[in-house]
Amino acid sequence: MLHAMAIITYLLPAVALASTALAQCSNSATTTITASADASALASCTTYSGSVAIPTDLTDPTDSNGHNALSVSGVEKITGNLTVTNAVNLASLTFNDLKSIGGFELGALTVLSTLSFPQLASLTSLNFTALAALQDLSFGDTGVPQANSILITNTGLSSLMGLTNLQQVTTFNINNNPSLQNISLQVTNIQGALNIEANDGYVSGLQTSFPKLETAKNMTFRNCSSVMLPALANVTQDLGFYGNTMQSFAAPNLTTTGGLIFVDNTDLTNISLPELTSVNASYQIANNTMLKQINGFQKLAIIGGALDFNGNFTDVALPALTQVKGAFNMQSSGTLDCSAFDTYNTNKVIKGNYVCKGSLSKPGGANTKPSSAAATSSSAAQPLNVNIPTAMGGTSILAGLLQLLL
Ligand SMILES: *[C@@H]1O[C@H](CO)[C@@H](O)[C@H](O)[C@H]1NC(C)=O
Ligand SMILES: *[C@@H]1O[C@H](CO)[C@@H](O)[C@H](O)[C@H]1NC(C)=O
Ligand SMILES: *[C@@H]1O[C@H](CO)[C@@H](O)[C@H](O)[C@H]1NC(C)=O
Ligand SMILES: *[C@@H]1O[C@H](CO)[C@@H](O)[C@H](O)[C@H]1NC(C)=O
Ligand SMILES: *[C@@H]1O[C@H](CO)[C@@H](O)[C@H](O)[C@H]1NC(C)=O
Ligand SMILES: *[C@@H]1O[C@H](CO)[C@@H](O)[C@H](O)[C@H]1NC(C)=O
Ligand SMILES: *[C@@H]1O[C@H](CO)[C@@H](O)[C@H](O)[C@H]1NC(C)=O
Ligand SMILES: *[C@@H]1O[C@H](CO)[C@@H](O)[C@H](O)[C@H]1NC(C)=O
Ligand SMILES: *[C@@H]1O[C@H](CO)[C@@H](O)[C@H](O)[C@H]1NC(C)=O
Ligand SMILES: *[C@@H]1O[C@H](CO)[C@@H](O)[C@H](O)[C@H]1NC(C)=O
Ligand SMILES: *[C@@H]1O[C@H](CO)[C@@H](O)[C@H](O)[C@H]1NC(C)=O
């Protein structure tokens, strides 16, 4: 009898009846329990070894809206998962004494508006999906300091209060939460992927801040109004910014990254990475329409992949560059002085296919042929120091492409 996963249905008001189904405090296979009494039996277990699930159909009486409330006291630890999915009438979920759980999965709870776990301080993973009515997370005073994986998608949350003190996390994915205003974490190292995307319903945008984050593996920021990474020193894979609305981005302590990407950040005017010395994969800057000056990389020496800049800029400075292992593509609709890059090309600093051209009507990415220069005004159409490799034929493009992929 030590092998059953308990499924608990419990509704307010509490009815303290004895239950045979949950008389033991250790289960690891599936048991379905649908009466209030089953949860009061769980309450006698300080530690519950096994997983707890709440099924879709709550059989106890509902309030006048047809909504249910579920409240459990007594149990402090659930060693397995707590899973509640598709309980479409569940409006309130409370575990008064729960301090520790394994996985915490809430999914498709369309009317859940109250979530109260006032003691919760430990969980392995959190997966909250499709919780449109949920506006607040209420965890213990200290919040949850540690988790392997956090996924929050499609909720009504306006803040991640219960996660503010998160100090260790492996993967962190927060997407499509239209009311979210602020993400601020105390984490120092993110060993897996961070992804923040499409949380852009709030009028002034989502502000993100990671004041202590020093090292990360792979990070993607989309649709944020600010990204603060003051302590970030190294990123092993990619650091990417897409469709954000911040006006400036600075990472004063960043020394190395894998790839570095800035695409479609429509308000961005200033990128400042004063300590960056190497981008070990490719470096892409594209379609940041307000970015006119790209000169915040005074120490950047090595680009391990391609350099691929296109946009509307007029001023690019890469004074410390010693090696670009892949292609070099720089195309702008603004006027551009390519002489410094021509010299890098001549001196073999650039190993791959080389293109640098300004005053283009349609500046394109690596391996696009620069479109003919805009002819709208004579000043904008000044010939520039264009240096396209003599052979723009198939082999050269292919070589550039191969180097791009290295
Ligand atoms: C808890 O959920 C996770 C993720 O869904 C799963 O990998 C794990 O096996 C579950 N653990 C138990 C004890 O059911
Ligand atoms: C999160 O939960 C949803 C259902 O609620 C499931 O489809 C999804 O696979 C889970 N994701 C992870 C990473 O556990
Ligand atoms: C964001 O949240 C953190 C932690 O809760 C708080 O300290 C900070 O003031 C908030 N920032 C804004 C702009 O609301
Ligand atoms: C940036 O690096 C310097 C030197 O290593 C360090 O003293 C400083 O505290 C770092 N800044 C932050 C915000 O961590
Ligand atoms: C970041 O990388 C640099 C260069 O590889 C190294 O000197 C430094 O110790 C690293 N910093 C952290 C916080 O890992
Ligand atoms: C980037 O490459 C440099 C030089 O090869 C190396 O010292 C550094 O550790 C690499 N950084 C990362 C984050 O992989
Ligand atoms: C790593 O980051 C890049 C750039 O932000 C992103 O395109 C990619 O999907 C990320 N990979 C993973 C596994 O998260
Ligand atoms: C969010 O960012 C993506 C780029 O990743 C962009 O295509 C999209 O338009 C942005 N959404 C809004 C509302 O700005
Ligand atoms: C760009 O940002 C950096 C860091 O915040 C700042 O020092 C610099 O003055 C800014 N440059 C411009 C042109 O605003
Ligand atoms: C930049 O914008 C152009 C024109 O809309 C588009 O064709 C191109 O794919 C965009 N580049 C990137 C890297 O998103
Ligand atoms: C370039 O910037 C100017 C303003 O400085 C703007 O009028 C123009 O539309 C931009 N062109 C492109 C292709 O973004």
Side-chain angles (χ1 to χ4, degrees), residues 1-67:
M1 292 316 293
L2 300 179
H3 304 286
M5 177 163 126
I7 295 190
I8 294 164
T9 299
Y10 177 69
L11 303 164
L12 286 179
V15 184
L17 296 175
S19 163
T20 49
L22 268 174
Q24 72 281 2
C25 295
S26 176
N27 289 336
S28 59
T30 305
T31 300
T32 303
I33 296 161
T34 53
S36 310
D38 298 326
S40 40
L42 177 72
S44 69
C45 303
T46 306
T47 294
Y48 187 81
S49 299
S51 289
V52 172
I54 292 159
T56 49
D57 295 322
L58 302 173
T59 56
D60 281 354
T62 56
D63 70 10
S64 56
N65 296 319
H67 294 165

Side-chain angles (χ1 to χ4, degrees), residues 306 326-327 352-353 366-367 394-406:
N353 194 36
N367 298 311
T395 43
S396 150
I397 288 172
L398 193 59
L401 184 63
L402 285 171
Q403 266 152 331
L404 239 182
L405 295 172
L406 280 178

Side-chain angles (χ1 to χ4, degrees), residues 5-362:
M5 177 163 126
I7 295 190
I8 294 164
T9 299
Y10 177 69
L11 303 164
L12 286 179
V15 184
L17 296 175
S19 163
T20 49
L22 268 174
Q24 72 281 2
C25 295
S26 176
N27 289 336
S28 59
T30 305
T31 300
T32 303
I33 296 161
T34 53
S36 310
D38 298 326
S40 40
L42 177 72
S44 69
C45 303
T46 306
T47 294
Y48 187 81
S49 299
S51 289
V52 172
I54 292 159
T56 49
D57 295 322
L58 302 173
T59 56
D60 281 354
T62 56
D63 70 10
S64 56
N65 296 319
H67 294 165
N68 309 121
L70 187 150
S71 177
V72 177
S73 297
V75 61
E76 292 177 8
K77 179 171 185 176
I78 294 172
T79 62
N81 296 335
L82 174 60
T83 304
V84 191
T85 53
N86 298 306
V88 293
N89 288 322
L90 184 66
S92 171
L93 178 65
T94 300
F95 272 72
N96 281 310
D97 302 309
L98 193 62
K99 295 181 174 137
S100 169
I101 24 178
F104 187 8
E105 181 177 327
L106 301 182
L109 306 175
T110 46
V111 301
L112 183 75
S113 59
T114 302
L115 185 68
S116 180
F117 284 68
Q119 304 289 324
L120 191 61
S122 169
L123 52 78
T124 311
S125 67
L126 182 146
N127 177 354
F128 284 7
T129 305
L131 310 173
L134 186 65
Q135 292 176 13
D136 296 300
L137 279 188
S138 169
F139 293 159
D141 288 344
T142 57
V144 172
Q146 188 177 335
N148 285 341
S149 155
I150 303 281
L151 169 61
I152 298 180
T153 178
N154 257 305
T155 73
L157 290 173
S158 61
S159 82
L160 303 181
M161 276 310 260
L163 301 176
T164 300
N165 287 322
L166 201 62
Q167 282 154 37
Q168 280 184 41
V169 66
T170 306
T171 67
F172 188 75
N173 186 343
I174 311 294
N175 69 76
N176 292 285
N177 303 286
S179 304
L180 206 53
Q181 298 172 18
N182 183 1
I183 295 176
S184 177
L185 298 191
Q186 299 305 308
V187 62
T188 56
N189 175 19
I190 299 179
Q191 290 163 323
L194 171 140
N195 182 50
I196 296 179
E197 177 176 356
N199 307 288
D200 53 2
Y202 184 60
V203 58
S204 57
L206 173 67
Q207 303 193 328
T208 64
S209 172
F210 298 81
K212 295 182 180 165
L213 184 63
E214 290 179 1
T215 56
K217 186 175 184 186
N218 200 65
M219 300 206 285
T220 308
F221 294 91
R222 294 182 196 259
N223 313 111
C224 296
S225 64
S226 68
V227 179
M228 307 292 277
L229 299 167
L232 188 66
N234 299 311
V235 179
T236 49
Q237 295 181 358
D238 289 344
L239 174 58
F241 301 89
Y242 306 81
N244 299 289
T245 56
M246 67 247 187
Q247 291 176 2
S248 62
F249 174 74
N253 275 10
L254 186 64
T255 58
T256 65
T257 68
L260 183 57
I261 303 138
F262 294 89
V263 171
D264 264 336
N265 302 289
T266 47
D267 297 355
L268 191 63
T269 59
N270 185 353
I271 304 172
S272 173
L273 304 171
E275 296 299 322
L276 185 67
T277 55
S278 66
V279 172
N280 290 356
S282 290
Y283 189 0
Q284 182 181 32
I285 293 183
N287 293 352
N288 306 287
T289 42
M290 299 299 286
L291 189 62
K292 306 294 177 193
Q293 294 184 317
I294 304 179
N295 55 12
F297 321 108
Q298 295 296 309
K299 293 187 181 170
L300 181 58
I302 296 169
I303 295 175
L307 179 146
D308 183 6
F309 290 2
N310 67 79
N312 198 4
F313 41 82
T314 53
D315 179 7
V316 183
L318 296 162
L321 208 56
T322 59
Q323 193 175 50
V324 178
K325 291 184 184 165
F328 184 106
N329 175 67
M330 191 173 294
Q331 300 189 28
S332 179
S333 53
T335 55
L336 199 59
D337 178 359
C338 290
S339 56
F341 310 122
D342 291 347
T343 304
Y344 285 147
N345 188 40
T346 306
N347 295 345
K348 306 285 184 222
V349 165
I350 295 159
K351 308 295 181 195
N353 194 36
Y354 174 73
V355 172
C356 180
K357 198 167 188 192
S359 300
L360 295 167
S361 54
K362 283 185 183 161

